[in-house]
Amino acid sequence: MPEYSYEGFNVEGLVKGQLTARSKAAALEELHRQGVNEPKISKFRPFSSGDFWRFFDLLRVLLLQNIRLTEAIEIISKQKDRKQRDIARSVMIKLGEGQVFNKIIEQLFRGIDQKTLTLLEIGTLNAGLKHAIELIQEEREFKRINNRELIKALSYPTFVLLFSLIALIVIFDKVLPEFKQLLNTADLTPLQKVIFWASGRGYDGFLYFFWFIIFSLVIVVFVASRKALLLLIAEFCNVLPGLNRLLNAVSQRQYLHALSLTLQLKMDISEGSQLASSYVSNPSHRDRLNKTYETLLEGKNFTYALSETKIFNEVQLAQIEIAERSNRLTEVIFELDRAMIEDKIHRMNLISQIVGPLAILILGVIIFLVAFVVISPIMLLQNSIG
């Protein structure tokens, strides 16, 4: 059923909130029954992801001071920022109705990724919200640092590349057509024939490339909205040599990261495994990991359940098996999670160091192309005159 925002007056004064009803008329009827006079009602519009992260930052600071969740929300409801006040009041109303915090966040905000929602769910269900929020902040900070390093590595090559492309368009559209009229195309090499074929088509070629990129992005968005297509693509990628190992490594890290939190919060391994599987972004791997819950309920051990997914390697399974036998599963999963995070940080640092030189190399090829396109017709013209 649709959800509506309302504002009105009762015996206590101004009241605001949300309610669910079949229609606007049904919502008004319910408000009058609750004693709300002169209600103004509109269809509820979720807050943006940017609003969520501002709310998240305020909540994290308060929870780190060991303030209870309800008290923290009440403090935020008294902020000067009107939007944050509205968010906090909406959360308070829904908490008063008995809804759980992670579901409230999912209803109030749009554009929140599933991994963040999963960590919030784990923290909410196990009285470990502060710990879950710290893990979310850690992942967020890691992404921020990686993005900053990547932008730093690509900023200069991108700037030069843009002006090189402009120069190529001008040369192909304004310079080469003039040379083409003076040369005998029969004497050209294959590469020179390709270059002169493109003369006069620089801007058109740029437009074709631009619209190809736009079309590709539309296709990506369309595919991302179709779960069946995503699952089919994931299944195909999972069997490609080389790529499957990379995808397995990503799913291993995501699953163990969430599972480590559930075990630290004393959650049962079967329930923890079920929640951790929803943190995995690969839909094919997520379906396989979901089956570990059923396998564990059948009385099989955790190592066997993971081996059935075909995602984890023999070394990892051996470590988990030893941990199960020695009753140190929480500690070992935590150590595996930390090791994978450190490996990811090292890999991202390596990528950021390689991206800059690689971009400069591509840039050098483009500059060579510009120079070759300019010099080649001049040399041909000189030879024809000689």
Side-chain angles (χ1 to χ4, degrees):
M1 286 192 294
E3 192 167 359
Y4 296 90
S5 298
Y6 68 86
E7 180 178 325
F9 297 89
N10 61 13
V11 292
E12 297 178 355
L14 180 67
V15 290
K16 294 180 179 180
Q18 288 91 36
L19 80 162
T20 304
R22 293 189 304 275
S23 64
K24 189 173 182 178
L28 287 169
E29 184 179 342
E30 175 64 20
L31 288 173
H32 286 306
R33 191 183 66 78
Q34 294 178 9
V36 179
N37 300 315
E38 301 179 19
K40 296 178 182 178
I41 189 169
S42 60
K43 210 161 191 178
F44 173 70
R45 294 181 179 179
F47 297 99
S48 68
S49 59
D51 296 326
F52 167 74
W53 288 116
R54 285 188 286 274
F55 175 76
F56 174 88
D57 288 333
L58 290 171
L59 184 62
R60 185 175 69 87
V61 170
L62 293 170
L63 292 181
L64 285 176
Q65 298 176 29
N66 295 319
I67 297 174
R68 290 191 307 168
L69 177 62
T70 51
E71 293 175 350
I73 300 297
E74 187 174 354
I75 292 172
I76 297 173
S77 70
K78 298 175 182 177
Q79 295 291 312
K80 292 182 179 180
D81 188 326
R82 180 182 175 183
K83 190 165 285 188
Q84 293 303 313
R85 288 202 311 267
D86 291 343
I87 291 170
R89 287 169 182 168
S90 298
V91 173
M92 288 175 65
I93 291 169
K94 291 181 180 294
L95 285 173
E97 294 171 352
Q99 298 186 44
V100 293
F101 181 70
N102 63 289
K103 292 297 181 184
I104 294 172
I105 295 299
E106 192 172 355
Q107 292 170 19
L108 290 180
F109 298 95
R110 66 174 185 274
I112 309 301
D113 62 276
Q114 184 58 45
K115 293 194 292 185
T116 298
L117 292 173
T118 298
L119 290 179
L120 286 176
E121 183 178 4
I122 293 170
T124 302
L125 296 179
N126 297 276
L129 186 59
K130 183 169 74 171
H131 193 176
I133 283 178
E134 279 303 292
L135 283 180
I136 293 171
Q137 179 62 19
E138 181 182 298
E139 190 77 15
R140 185 184 173 199
E141 191 63 27
F142 177 73
K143 288 180 181 177
R144 185 181 296 159
I145 292 171
N146 282 338
N147 290 338
R148 186 173 65 241
E149 292 299 319
L150 196 61
I151 290 171
K152 188 190 300 183
L154 288 175
S155 56
Y156 173 73
T158 303
F159 178 77
V160 179
L161 178 64
L162 176 63
F163 281 92
S164 298
L165 288 175
I166 294 173
L168 278 175
I169 291 173
V170 172
I171 291 169
F172 272 95
D173 283 354
K174 302 298 183 182
V175 179
L176 288 184
E178 300 297 329
F179 280 109
K180 188 176 181 181
Q181 296 177 5
L182 302 174
L183 297 174
N184 182 6
T185 55
D187 298 331
L188 300 179
T189 64
L191 179 59
Q192 289 168 338
K193 287 180 180 179
V194 170
I195 291 173
F196 278 101
W197 173 84
S199 66
R201 295 184 173 93
Y203 182 68
D204 291 340
F206 170 77
L207 287 180
Y208 288 139
F209 178 75
F210 174 78
W211 286 113
F212 171 76
I213 295 296
I214 296 297
F215 178 75
S216 300
L217 291 175
V218 170
I219 294 296
V220 169
V221 172
F222 174 78
V223 171
S225 64
R226 299 294 184 273
K227 292 183 178 180
L229 276 175
L230 279 178
L231 182 60
L232 186 64
I233 292 171
E235 291 284 3
F236 174 74
C237 293
N238 289 338
V239 298
L240 293 177
L243 184 59
N244 61 343
R245 291 182 61 186
L246 178 62
L247 295 175
N248 283 348
V250 172
S251 295
Q252 290 163 12
R253 184 185 59 80
Q254 292 174 346
Y255 178 77
L256 292 177
H257 187 60
L259 184 64
S260 175
L261 174 61
T262 65
L263 295 179
Q264 289 175 59
L265 297 176
K266 311 301 181 184
M267 181 178 273
D268 180 73
I269 184 64
S270 58
E271 295 178 357
S273 178
Q274 188 177 32
L275 279 173
S277 62
S278 62
Y279 188 75
V280 176
S281 55
N282 187 309
S284 174
H285 289 170
R286 185 167 59 242
D287 288 348
R288 288 192 231 169
L289 288 165
N290 268 325
K291 295 177 182 177
T292 59
Y293 177 74
E294 300 172 2
T295 307
L296 290 169
L297 291 182
E298 292 172 359
K300 304 291 176 54
N301 62 36
F302 184 55
T303 307
Y304 175 81
L306 286 186
S307 66
E308 289 293 292
T309 65
K310 310 297 183 186
I311 296 173
F312 295 86
N313 59 47
E314 295 297 328
V315 175
Q316 292 168 328
L317 292 173
Q319 289 177 288
I320 293 171
E321 184 177 13
I322 293 170
E324 272 194 292
R325 292 179 179 177
S326 60
N327 200 27
R328 292 188 66 252
L329 189 59
T330 301
E331 292 84 351
V332 170
I333 294 295
F334 177 78
E335 290 169 4
L336 285 172
D337 176 40
R338 291 295 100 181
M340 287 186 168
I341 290 175
E342 290 175 5
D343 180 64
K344 182 182 177 183
I345 292 172
H346 173 73
R347 190 167 58 251
M348 291 307 297
N349 288 337
L350 185 62
I351 290 173
S352 64
Q353 292 172 6
I354 292 174
V355 163
L358 184 61
I360 291 173
L361 180 63
I362 295 172
L363 184 60
V365 172
I366 292 175
I367 291 173
F368 166 77
L369 180 61
V370 173
F372 183 80
V373 168
V374 172
I375 295 172
S376 181
I378 295 175
M379 296 297 295
L380 287 172
L381 188 59
Q382 182 180 7
N383 291 336
S384 64
I385 294 172

